[in-house]
Amino acid sequence: MEEKKDYKSTLNMPNTEFSMKADLKIKEPYFRKIWKDNDIYEKVLEKNKNSTNFILHDGPPYANGSLHTGHALNKIIKDIIIRYKSINNFYTPYIPGWDTHGLPIENKMLNEMNVDHKKISVIDLRKNAAKYALSQIEIQKKQFLKLQMLSDFEKIYKTLDKSYEVKQLKVFKKMCLDGLIYRGLKPVYWSPSSQSALAEAEVEYQEHRSPSIFVKFPVTKGNEIVKKNDNLLIWTTTPWTLIANAGIAINNDFDYSLLKYKNENYIIATKLVDSLTKTFEWKDFEIIKNFKGKDILNIEYLSIVNNNICPVISGHHVTLEAGSGLVHIAPLFGEDDFIIGKKNNLNMIMHINDDGTINESGNEYQNIFYEDANKNIGKWLEENNYLVKLKFIKHQYPHDWRTKKPIIFRGTPQWFVSINKIKDRIINSLKEVKFYSEWGYKRLLTMIQNREDWTISRQRAWGVPIIIFYDENKNVVMKEEIFDYVINLVEKHGTNIWYEKSVDELLPENYRNKNWTKENDIMDVWFDSGTSFLGVDIDGIQPPFDLYFEGSDQYRGWFNSSLINSVAYSNNAPFKELLSHGFVVDEKGRKMSKSLGNGIDPIDIINENGADILRLWAANSEYSNDISISKNIINQTGELYRKFRNTIRFLLSNLYDYKYEKTKLTGINLLIKERLENLKIKVKKFYDDYQFINIVKDINNFVVDLSTFYLSITKDILYVEKPDSKIRREVQFVIYEILDFILISLYPIIPTTCEEAYQFFNKENKKISICLESFYEVNKIEQYQEEEKWKEFFILKNEIYKLIEQSIKSNIIKRSNEAFVTLNTNSDFIKSLNLKMLLMVGKIEFSNENKVNKFDSLKCQRCWNHFEKKEIKNELCIRCNEVLES
């Protein structure tokens, strides 16, 4: 019996050591080490040092706790941008930063030490807080590196560095000397749980249950319209502020009515009579008279809780949207109240301590927490017949975004930045900034337009001190030589010097021994991070920097404070471009929270799946909106990744014997090259516009199309033809170009995978790392010349493929290469094509219909294609015989 010949050894079978299995959790630390050991980041900078700069300035994450998926999304997108810009030959030093001051770090450190902040010296507190913040930076730094970021994290910036604090104080000094910093008594957001003032950016709104009460105040001195013992009716959801009531405001132009109910008279806005009488269930009431608000100005009433005699005044903020049309005024507990109180010289009563308890001004309510006093005050009002109606409402109420507890407006002496003085300059600076959404521009613009003066003082110890002195008469002193003297001390010793030295030791000699005092408040952490444009040293490159990219919450935070400080200091925005991302939510669009148990740890994803999968998820997200993540979504991303990896592997495995050479293309190869060139143009534009989801989508579509058609039809050429045949080298040239494109284009997104594949790629002028490659040149080609020409073929192909599929289902043939296809076409172009190869069929003839049959054939034992018997010799087809003979 004749031995069966082994033709497989004569085929050009795929060959590569690039594994099908990713093993990213093993390979990622390996390549991280290779990049570090070979100083790849420094080499990238060296390669591009004479090129145009592109500086993405890193907004400082807070140095407290492990990373969450929001951190991961932010740093991954930044790294994609940096890697793209660097491979596109921009000079891209990236200096990561950390925000290191503030209450959360102070609290966390105190909790770990189990110490009350009142029982530890300021210096000990500051030293321990600094130590804690630095330990958190080291934890976060290691976690960020697991994201496979290009930066080596050797050079970073920290807001607690002496050099940073000095620059921050220089910004503060300039703002002081330009008249932008002032001290004043004003109601500000006050957090009893933090015992400190808060900036707007530190306030979030949550649902809160509050008492809603209508209270009557008896008139003590009336006029010809309103008489003694008539009642002014007010509404409030903060009964505890009644202790500080100093006036009742009306609107001069509103109509008001005097109502009689059960032998008592009440004054309310005329337009609210119907709704209020229904709320109070007053059925037999009588309207005695109507009058304008201005008619009762300056009448007086008894402020029932504090027993003071107070006036009725005009209020610009009185509306008819809620309440009674009369508004109770407690000047130190609301912004509008304060303005009205100052204008009318009202009594300023401060009855709330820093911790939220009531002081001696609250008489019998002293030492009670302000919210707890609501119940006592309500009970007293009811017992003394002043309470008209009580119910409880749920509404959005401001909370401290760190402690998650309610806050109040409370008048305290604070330091402010006067926004109004530079508001026009800030708004004008935005005209020079490129926004990637109209929404982003409008949001930042509106926030600046509506922004009041910025409260920058905090009553804590861990932060940059407000370096202000008071003279012997308690007047504020702002002199350049004093600022410079202190800043010089900070440059040598750090800001602890402010707390370690006496006042005289902190002053120049001329100002000593005068009984001066110093400010003990620290600066708002947003002032710290908002000076990073100056505080960071990015190879001496000066702002404005090319791009700021952070979460959408930073329009009220870091974008905002950076913009204000930069305009105040250098009269321009600190960024040329502004880009933002949404929040990471679960599969159902819900915010991640411990209570819901829907949080996903990015480090767990990396440990289980690899950072490239997490990076691909980030790139494949519409990040400008909120982004969903779940195990299911990560699994789907894994499928997409495998498709890319398997395609890369196939391309590599068919280039093992190929040396790059410019090749003139024909036929289908020319079409695929044209498609590739057009895709290159699109991908580059998507990168330039930060539209990474479109890059992933278009490359994926290209790969799917490639796999289902071009790579399928060219396998026969790649495996069967003579190794150095013209047709095979033509296909290899195309797949070389495709592989080069895929690795370069996906490198910023999945760097480990592309680096690994690059090591097996016999690339012309190969570098030691793909990181040192250059992005491809975009060649404008005549738009879709080949695509237009081939259109009719693909219409025909789809029809024939359907007929082949039906024939296989009907058991007429087992596979497409057994098919005898008749084609109905008059096209010279189609007739000129190698249709057997392009349609992967056994026999082609032209007739008056499209039809698929089986034909009497033999299978070539080498290429496994089917041929008519006359075309087979010694069990091989003509082509295979020729290849073997050669």
Side-chain angles (χ1 to χ4, degrees), residues 378-389:
K379 189 179 178 187
W380 183 86
L381 291 171
E382 188 174 22
E383 287 171 353
N384 289 276
N385 196 32
Y386 292 118
L387 186 67
V388 175
K389 181 72 178 178

Side-chain angles (χ1 to χ4, degrees), residues 90 112 144 151 167 217 252 281 294 421-422 605 647 737:
F90 284 89
E112 288 192 2
F144 280 138
S151 172
K167 288 174 181 171
F217 288 78
N252 285 358
E281 298 176 4
K294 61 187 175 187
K421 287 185 178 179
I422 55 170
I605 294 174
T647 303
E737 293 273 319

Side-chain angles (χ1 to χ4, degrees), residues 802-847:
K802 281 178 190 169
L803 291 173
I804 289 170
E805 219 173 287
Q806 288 166 10
S807 298
I808 291 170
K809 278 183 184 171
S810 306
N811 291 322
I812 295 168
I813 56 174
K814 289 180 183 175
R815 54 193 66 83
S816 69
N817 67 3
E818 294 178 12
F820 169 29
V821 178
T822 57
L823 299 175
N824 178 20
T825 179
N826 294 316
S827 166
D828 290 337
F829 173 69
I830 288 179
K831 287 179 178 179
S832 73
L833 299 174
N834 181 350
L835 293 168
K836 273 184 68 172
M837 179 196 78
L838 291 169
L839 296 174
M840 294 189 294
V841 296
K843 185 177 177 182
I844 295 279
E845 280 185 7
F846 296 100
S847 82

Side-chain angles (χ1 to χ4, degrees), residues 85-96:
K85 292 292 184 181
S86 70
I87 207 171
N88 210 17
N89 299 327
F90 284 89
Y91 181 62
T92 55
Y94 174 70
I95 311 296

Side-chain angles (χ1 to χ4, degrees), residues 263-280:
N263 297 320
E264 283 201 83
N265 292 345
Y266 299 87
I267 298 159
I268 57 177
T270 304
K271 283 191 175 177
L272 296 172
V273 168
D274 289 346
S275 61
L276 288 178
T277 51
K278 280 179 188 169
T279 299
F280 303 154

